[in-house]
């Protein structure tokens, strides 16, 4: 699939500090021990509705990782999927009386446009589930060769009892797993499953639903194996970071990992599992299914500056759950005005320390709010007292552009 155009990213080349991130699996902030090329998989959208502030916050958080690695001299191989075939997409298409492909294409295009406006660097590989079906079938066949797949009617399930490392991503009790599995697209009640938690790999064709013919039958892929297969094909195992919002920790990332390690007998699936917090609105998680949405597109249509939208996201730590308020944006707009005034000064105080402070803040589990505070302090001093270094505004705002993705 085509991604979106890459915004200009100024080149930096610092070698320390290295990036440390909180890893859900080990409950620790750990170094991202990457080789020359860092490898990251971030779960993409299910394109049945427009980009809301929760999606935007998640993709901006992972963009900070991408930008930090690049700025510190690493190559990055960034893979993101698009779940362009799944139950919620088909249900919405029926509700809209619309062709499912048209819905998916339209919303994917709108997402590209929003990501570009927010200056998110595109993934190197942007891969749809539909275009990956042959690879997904291969992955399922690999599990079959290992004897890890069984049938319920004509549908295929993975036998979790064969994988003792299942559970080591989210570290949840079985009761909690069962509850979340039911809430998040699983089918624990289905008769005939060996374990209620076993994930669906391949769903045989249902009347009126799209399906693809393959050696494992006529049908369509389950959700988790989609990401396992795409990550395996474009990154190999283990890769450095598996990412997404915290609602993907279980079952999605737990199942992805179980399938990946079972298929290849290579552990771990990812070295770190990184999760962003949930953005809420009007008292609950912002979600397409609840309809409590603040859309990037609507803010842009109102004429709000996408750089202010990006700043409104960055003023929250990526791991926190937080509630969107319109004041987030007005606060970000006034910050952006101040930064622009300071950038327009012909000179300012030295920016060496503030650039170091930005790198340090981000290196410590993406401390974007601390990075913004460091810029604010320099800006306040520059506006109040001026300064004699003609290069410092340029130096600072180049770093801000490269690492925070905000242009002034
Ligand atoms: N296609 C799957 C992943 S393979 C999916 O979850 N799609 S999604 O469209 O529902 O979500 C896309 C990304 O946005 C996921 O990483 C999800 O965790 C994140 N996300 C969804 N809602 C929120 C929210 N309210 N706050 C923060 N992130 C969110
Ligand atoms: Zn995924």
């Amino acid at each position: 699939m085509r991604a979106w155009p890459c915004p200009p990213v100024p080149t930096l080349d610092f070698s320390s500090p290295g990036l440390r991130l909180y890893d859900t699996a080990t409950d620790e902030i750990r170094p991202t021990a990457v080789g020359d090329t860092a490898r990251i998989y971030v779960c993409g959208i299910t394109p049945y509705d427009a980009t809301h502030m929760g999606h935007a916050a998640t993709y901006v958080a992972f963009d900070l990782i991408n930008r930090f690695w690049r700025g510190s001299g690493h190559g990055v191989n960034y893979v993101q999927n698009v779940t362009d075939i799944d139950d919620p997409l088909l249900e919405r298409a029926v509700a809209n009386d619309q062709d499912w492909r048209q819905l998916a294409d339209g919303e994917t295009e709108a997402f590209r446009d929003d990501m570009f406006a927010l200056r998110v660097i595109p993934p190197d590989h942007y891969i749809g589930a539909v275009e990956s079906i042959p690879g997904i079938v291969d992955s399922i066949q690999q599990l079959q060769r290992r004897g890890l797949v069984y049938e319920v009617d004509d549908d295929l399930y993975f036998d979790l009892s064969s994988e003792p490392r299942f559970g080591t991503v989210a570290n949840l009790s079985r009761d909690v797993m069962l509850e979340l599995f039911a809430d998040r697209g699983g089918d624990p009640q289905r008769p005939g499953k060996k374990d209620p938690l076993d994930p669906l790999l391949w769903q045989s064709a249902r009347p009126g639903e799209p399906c693809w013919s393959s050696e494992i039958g006529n049908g369509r892929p389950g959700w988790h194996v989609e990401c396992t297969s795409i990550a395996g094909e474009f990154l190999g195992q283990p890769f450095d970071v598996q990412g997404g919002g915290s609602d993907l920790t279980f079952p999605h990332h737990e199942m992805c990992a179980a399938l990946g390690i079972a298929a290849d007998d290579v552990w771990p699936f990812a070295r770190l599992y990184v999760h962003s917090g949930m953005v809420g609105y009007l008292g609950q998680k912002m979600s397409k299914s609840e309809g409590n949405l603040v859309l990037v597109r609507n803010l842009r249509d109102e004429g709000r500056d996408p750089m202010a939208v990006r700043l409104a996201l960055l003023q929250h730590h990526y791991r926190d759950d937080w509630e969107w308020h319109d004041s987030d944006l007005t606060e970000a707009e006034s910050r952006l005005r101040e930064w622009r005034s300071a950038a327009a000064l012909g000179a300012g105080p030295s920016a060496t320390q503030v650039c170091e402070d930005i790198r340090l803040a981000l290196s410590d589990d993406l401390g974007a709010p601390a990075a913004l505070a460091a810029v604010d302090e320099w800006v306040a001093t520059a506006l109040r007292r001026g300064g004699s270094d003609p290069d410092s505004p340029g130096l600072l705002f180049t770093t801000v552009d490269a690492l925070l993705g905000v242009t002034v």
Side-chain angles (χ1 to χ4, degrees):
M1 235 184 216
R2 177 175 53 83
W4 53 93
C6 191
V9 184
T11 309
L12 304 178
D13 196 10
F14 56 92
S15 54
S16 80
L19 179 62
R20 294 157 52 82
L21 293 171
Y22 178 81
D23 169 37
T24 302
T26 53
D27 186 23
E28 282 174 349
I29 293 182
R30 296 177 48 210
T32 56
V34 292
D36 285 347
T37 298
R39 293 176 295 162
I40 179 166
Y41 186 94
V42 178
C43 283
I45 54 163
T46 305
Y48 68 87
D49 210 334
T51 321
H52 59 60
M53 301 316 291
H55 302 128
T58 289
Y59 295 109
V60 164
F62 288 96
D63 190 50
L64 294 179
I65 297 176
N66 194 356
R67 286 171 177 274
F68 196 94
W69 278 336
R70 285 164 171 249
S72 54
H74 290 285
V76 180
N77 186 1
Y78 178 177
V79 180
Q80 189 179 125
N81 69 308
V82 181
T83 307
D84 55 0
I85 181 72
D86 202 6
D87 296 340
L89 175 74
L90 295 177
E91 284 158 19
R92 180 64 65 91
V94 169
N96 291 0
D97 194 19
Q98 194 180 4
D99 179 72
W100 63 274
R101 273 165 299 225
Q102 228 177 24
L103 174 62
D105 289 350
E107 294 304 345
T108 305
E109 186 53 26
F111 176 73
R112 290 187 185 102
D113 200 46
D114 286 335
M115 290 295 104
F116 183 65
L118 292 174
R119 292 181 89 81
V120 173
I121 298 176
D124 302 280
H125 300 279
Y126 195 45
I127 309 294
V130 169
E131 66 185 346
S132 306
I133 286 176
I136 299 172
V137 168
D138 283 348
S139 303
I140 296 171
Q141 286 180 308
Q142 167 74 0
L143 292 165
Q144 281 178 321
R145 282 192 289 277
R146 290 182 170 254
L148 312 177
V149 177
Y150 65 93
E151 285 186 27
V152 178
D153 305 323
D154 285 330
D155 299 340
L156 302 181
Y157 281 87
F158 175 67
D159 182 354
L160 276 175
S161 68
S162 64
E163 184 38 72
R165 293 159 288 193
F166 171 70
T168 54
V169 173
N171 299 299
L172 299 172
S173 69
R174 190 165 166 88
D175 283 350
V176 174
M177 287 199 272
L178 282 166
E179 198 183 310
L180 291 177
F181 190 67
D183 286 351
R184 296 176 178 170
D187 55 358
Q189 309 290 359
R190 182 166 183 183
K193 287 176 67 173
K194 290 187 182 170
D195 180 327
L197 291 174
D198 287 343
L200 177 72
L201 297 172
W202 185 257
Q203 175 166 297
S204 61
R206 306 285 198 264
E209 284 193 359
C211 61
W212 289 263
S213 67
S214 76
E215 288 174 24
I216 55 174
N218 205 14
R220 61 180 166 100
W223 172 31
H224 312 302
V225 68
E226 165 193 341
C227 287
T228 307
S229 175
I230 297 173
E233 179 175 349
F234 290 91
L235 296 174
Q237 284 173 222
F239 55 94
D240 293 294
V241 169
Q242 160 87 313
S246 59
D247 57 340
L248 297 187
T249 309
F250 193 91
H252 187 49
H253 289 170
E254 190 77 66
M255 297 296 180
C256 288
L259 296 171
I261 56 189
D264 285 356
D265 201 20
V266 171
W267 188 87
F269 177 63
R271 294 196 177 92
L272 276 83
Y273 296 87
V274 176
H275 293 113
S276 52
M278 288 294 110
V279 180
Y281 187 53
L282 307 176
Q284 3 178 10
K285 172 189 156 187
M286 198 180 284
S287 78
K288 294 177 279 206
S289 47
E290 294 294 333
N292 56 333
L293 304 177
V294 177
L295 302 179
V296 175
R297 161 52 50 99
N298 289 352
L299 296 176
R300 292 173 57 209
D301 286 349
E302 279 172 25
R304 316 301 282 264
D305 188 323
M307 289 297 91
V309 176
R310 184 161 173 129
L311 274 177
L313 303 171
L314 292 175
Q315 66 204 17
H316 299 273
H317 190 266
Y318 83 100
R319 276 208 284 137
D320 289 344
D321 294 331
W322 55 280
E323 172 104 355
W324 174 267
H325 294 285
D326 296 336
S327 57
D328 282 286
L329 189 52
T330 42
E331 196 183 309
E333 285 166 337
S334 82
R335 171 177 266 140
L336 189 60
R337 272 194 300 275
E338 297 274 296
W339 288 17
R340 285 187 169 143
S341 307
L345 295 171
S350 165
T352 315
Q353 186 59 47
V354 61
C355 290
E356 176 66 7
D357 291 345
I358 294 169
R359 291 191 290 269
L360 276 173
L362 290 171
S363 74
D364 182 16
D365 199 27
L366 305 179
L372 300 197
V375 180
D376 285 344
E377 201 181 311
W378 184 94
V379 163
T381 308
L383 291 176
R384 206 172 48 242
R385 293 212 295 268
S388 57
D389 182 346
D391 296 328
S392 65
L395 175 66
L396 170 58
F397 288 105
T398 298
T399 297
V400 165
D401 184 359
L403 294 182
L404 295 169
V406 175
T407 48
V408 293

